[in-house]
Amino acid sequence: MDRLQKLIATAGYGSRRWAERLIEQGRIEVNNKTASIGDKAEITDMVKIDGRKIDLVRYQEEETKVIILNKQAGFICSNKDDEGRKSVFELLPKESRWVMVGRLDLNTSGLLLFTNNGDLANKLMHPSSEIDREYAVRVLGQVEQEDLQQLTDGIELDDGLAKFSRVAIGGGQGANRWYKVVLKEGRKREVRRLWEALGFKVSRLIRIRFGEIRLPDKLKANQYDYLKPGQVKLLLDAVNLKG
């Protein structure tokens, strides 16, 4: 038997954290009983989400696939939106249930990963994995060396201390200059908030790397590609999972 949220994630319905939220909200049943956090189940048990039976068996043995998408600014990273905005999920192939690895906010573009392996997605997103996220960021304002030092030493934000593990000058002239920054976690709007804490405005933000996976130059805005088996193995190895 496995924890319920792990079974749901491995079957490709969403991440473990997503499943845990549904359990806490009383929206999941196992064999017609409302589930609780910590419950275990077999893949042969009858599991329902919001009253609808889900198939825990179908995707359990499916080969792990990972898609890389070059997100365009203006697309949301949710399946549903009350405002009718376009979603990145509309851009994906339909042959699997895709779980997103982290998010990018509305005005951020660049690398997004999706996988049919919910357990892989969960481990890649977990802070304990400390997977590098690298961004190219265009900053408005005169940045001094002491500012760069403060960004790597750490700045207290409203949700705790945050910092870049690395900052490098990326070019540009005048008031707008490019920098490359690396984070080891994925808190909401963390790159923007760090720069804004020092009084700078981020005019453009692009994620260019996640772990060992770089955004290919050939991948145009809102296009996707499948990662090669060797690249998928790099991600699985990074979190000690087997394909």
Side-chain angles (χ1 to χ4, degrees), residues 143-159:
V143 180
E144 304 294 344
Q145 185 60 42
E146 54 261 36
D147 297 316
L148 301 181
Q149 187 65 49
Q150 200 169 345
L151 289 166
T152 53
D153 287 345
I155 296 172
E156 193 68 37
L157 302 178
D158 55 8
D159 55 354

Side-chain angles (χ1 to χ4, degrees), residues 4-46:
L4 184 55
Q5 59 265 36
K6 180 182 178 182
L7 284 176
I8 292 170
T10 306
Y13 284 90
S15 69
R16 287 194 197 183
R17 280 184 284 183
W18 174 82
E20 286 173 359
R21 286 198 298 271
L22 296 191
I23 294 170
E24 289 169 350
Q25 294 165 8
R27 295 166 59 187
I28 296 182
E29 298 175 22
V30 179
N31 299 328
N32 296 317
K33 283 185 60 179
T34 301
S36 301
I37 291 293
D39 282 357
K40 295 185 177 182
E42 304 274 5
I43 60 173
T44 51
D45 287 330
M46 184 172 66

Side-chain angles (χ1 to χ4, degrees), residues 68-71 109-112 134 206-210 212-220 223 231:
I68 183 170
L69 173 78
N70 186 1
K71 175 189 175 293
S109 59
L111 183 156
L112 265 179
E134 185 173 3
I206 309 166
R207 184 154 67 192
I208 57 176
R209 181 171 64 86
F210 187 96
E212 298 297 319
I213 309 303
R214 288 192 172 275
L215 184 66
D217 293 335
K218 65 179 182 179
L219 201 62
K220 296 180 180 178
Q223 284 188 343
Q231 293 175 302

Side-chain angles (χ1 to χ4, degrees), residues 63-75:
E63 178 187 4
T64 295
K65 298 176 186 175
V66 181
I67 278 178
I68 183 170
L69 173 78
N70 186 1
K71 175 189 175 293
Q72 185 177 11
F75 278 68

Side-chain angles (χ1 to χ4, degrees), residues 163-180:
K163 63 180 180 179
F164 297 127
S165 59
R166 189 164 70 252
V167 180
I169 297 171
Q173 294 181 341
N176 276 301
R177 291 184 181 271
W178 284 94
Y179 296 86
K180 289 184 178 179

